[in-house]
Amino acid sequence: YGTALLIVAAAFGLRCLFEPVLEGRGIFGFFLIATAFVDWRVGLGPALLSLAIGSVLGCIGFEGPHEEWTFDPGPNGVPVVMSTLIGL
């Protein structure tokens, strides 16, 4: 589970670095790649943890206003639902 947390933290850091280029697009892509890597290397349990944490971090860090760090799944929540279903 520690590996899952480290990989998700690395994905969050990379997503923060690419934010000026991506400008709010492709919010959950980095987290889905991290989830696939965790599932491949560690297993299903840590992968589900990384999926959940990645979804929350994506909503907090990159959805909605960038001045606030609040959980905002967007106007209809479709990106969060889609990334969660793809991750499963």
Side-chain angles (χ1 to χ4, degrees), residues 68-88:
E68 301 175 9
W69 285 79
T70 59
F71 183 80
D72 181 17
N76 53 13
V78 171
V80 177
V81 172
M82 290 297 293
S83 69
T84 304
L85 290 176
I86 290 169
L88 290 175

Side-chain angles (χ1 to χ4, degrees), residues 1-87:
Y1 289 93
T3 303
L5 294 175
L6 288 174
I7 297 298
V8 170
F12 183 75
L14 283 172
R15 183 62 181 83
C16 286
L17 287 175
F18 282 101
E19 177 58 24
V21 176
L22 295 175
E23 297 176 343
R25 295 181 305 252
I27 294 169
F28 300 102
F30 285 83
F31 299 112
L32 288 174
I33 293 169
T35 299
F37 181 78
V38 168
D39 187 35
W40 173 56
R41 295 298 295 170
V42 186
L44 180 62
L48 292 175
L49 175 68
S50 69
L51 179 64
I53 292 173
S55 295
V56 170
L57 283 177
C59 286
I60 289 174
F62 306 107
E63 280 281 337
H66 293 288
E67 296 81 30
E68 301 175 9
W69 285 79
T70 59
F71 183 80
D72 181 17
N76 53 13
V78 171
V80 177
V81 172
M82 290 297 293
S83 69
T84 304
L85 290 176
I86 290 169

